[in-house]
């Protein structure tokens, strides 16, 4: 079968992958569509260290082909969106409703794939850049079959992370003010999460002025072109002189992390979503924090995927959450190199590979 692998030197599309059958508590999914996220590119450029060889991809949707013993919530033929969270479901964190903190879901890749007799790792417990993949049952969330799989694919990472950051981690409330630094796939979902939560003022900040229209379509009330603004913080404070209640950094740049902190009003919080290099350090004025300000990390939108994916899918069906508009280009998997180049240079909000 076809798939995209990374061997430590360069990614390549191959057609001789094999994947094992599902075991107890597992699901075999025929992937129909997979979003190309910057996290996949970060494995290739070394920003995210990961063992190789690995089958890339982590944002997918498809159709269940087989289930292992003990799986009852999905069956062959069901349409599913996939999450990357292979949490155990039984530890103290899972029991508290915090599956993103489950230690079984962090840094424990499996090797369900083989190629020419050699075993390959899965990425993010998912590997959606393959025609078929095996995931834990908890990662497969049933969705209504009328949702296009090219759109449903984006729920499992970009939507969960961005919308979840606004609703679950920051807990944006009615009337709040929000600044979103970076209007890419994650940032657009933060924007629509803040809109759904009832934020009054949502300021999108991006160095690409062409993103203004889509940012406003997703719910931004203001847009700042960082390439022309000079002092972005001053530009934001011309709109919100006291600062913002919530500032989301969606790029992964330590200078912008500092900027997010500097934008905060009293009791404001900066939420970090972008992924800088693993050894990156950021600074801030300690004296500024004593006004009850907070800096919050956020893993995967602090999500509970079985609940949240189903919720976001229904919000989409009711017209309250945008998915189709996130898909700016679809590519057959054979065109992975072009899709990766477009994503790297910011030509697309989200490119989707299809099988």
């Amino acid at each position: 079968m076809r798939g995209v692998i990374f061997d430590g030197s360069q990614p390549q599309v191959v057609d001789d992958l094999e994947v094992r059958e599902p075991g107890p508590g597992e699901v075999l999914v025929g992937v129909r569509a997979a979003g190309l996220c910057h996290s996949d590119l970060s494995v290739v450029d070394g920003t995210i260290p990961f063992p190789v060889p690995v089958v890339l991809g982590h944002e997918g949707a498809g159709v269940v082909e087989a289930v292992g013993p003990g799986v009852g919530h999905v069956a062959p033929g069901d349409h599913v969106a996939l999450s990357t969270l292979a949490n155990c479901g039984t530890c103290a964190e899972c029991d508290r409703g915090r599956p993103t903190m489950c230690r079984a879901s962090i840094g424990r890749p499996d090797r369900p794939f083989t190629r020419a007799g050699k075993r390959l790792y899965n990425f993010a417990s998912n590997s959606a850049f393959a025609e078929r993949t095996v995931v834990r049952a908890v990662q497969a969330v049933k969705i209504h079959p009328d949702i296009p799989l090219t759109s449903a694919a984006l729920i499992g990472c970009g939507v969960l992370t961005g919308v979840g950051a606004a609703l679950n981690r920051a807990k944006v409330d009615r009337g709040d003010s929000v600044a979103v630094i970076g209007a890419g796939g994650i940032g657009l979902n933060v924007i629509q999460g803040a809109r759904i939560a009832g934020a009054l003022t949502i300021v999108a900040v991006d160095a690409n002025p062409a993103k203004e229209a889509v940012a406003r379509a997703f719910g931004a009330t203001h847009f700042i072109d960082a390439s022309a603004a000079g002092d972005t913080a001053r530009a934001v404070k011309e709109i919100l002189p006291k600062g913002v209640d919530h500032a989301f950094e969606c790029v992964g740049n330590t200078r912008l992390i500092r900027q997010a902190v500097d934008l905060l009003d009293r009791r404001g919080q900066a939420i970090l979503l972008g992924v800088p290099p693993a050894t990156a350090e950021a600074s801030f004025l300690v004296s500024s924090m004593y006004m009850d300000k907070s800096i919050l990390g956020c893993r995967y939108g602090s999500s509970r995927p079985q609940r949240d994916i189903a919720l976001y899918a229904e919000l989409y069906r009711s017209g309250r959450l945008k998915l189709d508009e996130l898909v700016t280009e679809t590519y057959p998997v054979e065109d992975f190199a072009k899709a990766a180049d477009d994503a790297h240079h910011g030509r697309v909000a989200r490119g989707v590979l299809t099988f």
Side-chain angles (χ1 to χ4, degrees), residues 217-244:
F218 273 71
T221 59
H222 300 76
F223 182 88
I224 293 173
D225 175 4
S227 67
D231 187 339
T232 302
R234 179 179 298 176
V236 173
K237 289 189 176 180
E238 287 178 359
I239 301 166
L240 295 161
K242 295 179 181 179
V244 302

Side-chain angles (χ1 to χ4, degrees), residues 64 75 90 112 133-134 146 157 159 198 204 219 244 250 255 278 285 290 315 331:
V64 175
T90 59
T133 190
V134 170
D146 67 5
C157 179
V159 176
V244 302
C250 305
R255 178 182 63 84
L285 288 175
Y290 293 113
L315 285 173
Y331 309 80

Side-chain angles (χ1 to χ4, degrees), residues 71-97:
V71 177
H73 75 293
V74 293
D78 285 344
H79 286 209
V80 293
L82 303 179
S83 90
T84 68
L85 207 61
N87 59 297
C88 71
T90 59
C91 70
E93 296 295 349
C94 287
D95 194 50
R96 293 187 183 106

Side-chain angles (χ1 to χ4, degrees), residues 160-193:
L160 273 185
T161 300
V163 176
L167 299 182
N168 301 329
R169 186 64 167 136
K171 299 187 185 301
V172 176
D173 201 359
R174 293 165 295 175
D176 283 356
S177 60
V178 173
V180 180
I181 302 172
I186 299 298
L188 290 175
N189 280 298
V190 173
I191 289 169
Q192 70 171 334

Side-chain angles (χ1 to χ4, degrees), residues 99-161:
T100 56
M101 295 297 103
C102 173
R103 283 173 168 77
S105 72
I106 301 174
R108 298 185 181 184
D110 193 8
R111 291 194 290 177
F113 298 95
T114 56
R115 182 180 184 229
K118 184 175 183 178
R119 298 172 68 192
L120 289 79
Y121 290 97
N122 61 3
F123 177 54
S125 303
N126 190 308
S127 290
F129 292 172
E131 286 187 86
R132 297 179 194 84
T133 190
V134 170
V135 298
R136 291 178 60 93
V138 72
Q139 296 176 255
V141 183
K142 186 176 178 179
I143 59 174
H144 199 281
D146 67 5
I147 301 177
L149 291 174
T150 49
S151 296
L154 305 186
I155 301 177
C157 179
V159 176
L160 273 185
T161 300

Side-chain angles (χ1 to χ4, degrees), residues 4-29:
V4 181
I5 69 170
F6 177 58
D7 61 5
S9 59
Q10 63 181 8
Q12 58 181 311
V13 180
V14 301
D15 60 7
D16 56 351
L17 277 179
E18 296 181 7
V19 67
R20 62 172 171 78
E21 291 298 311
E26 293 181 333
V27 178
L28 175 67
V29 177

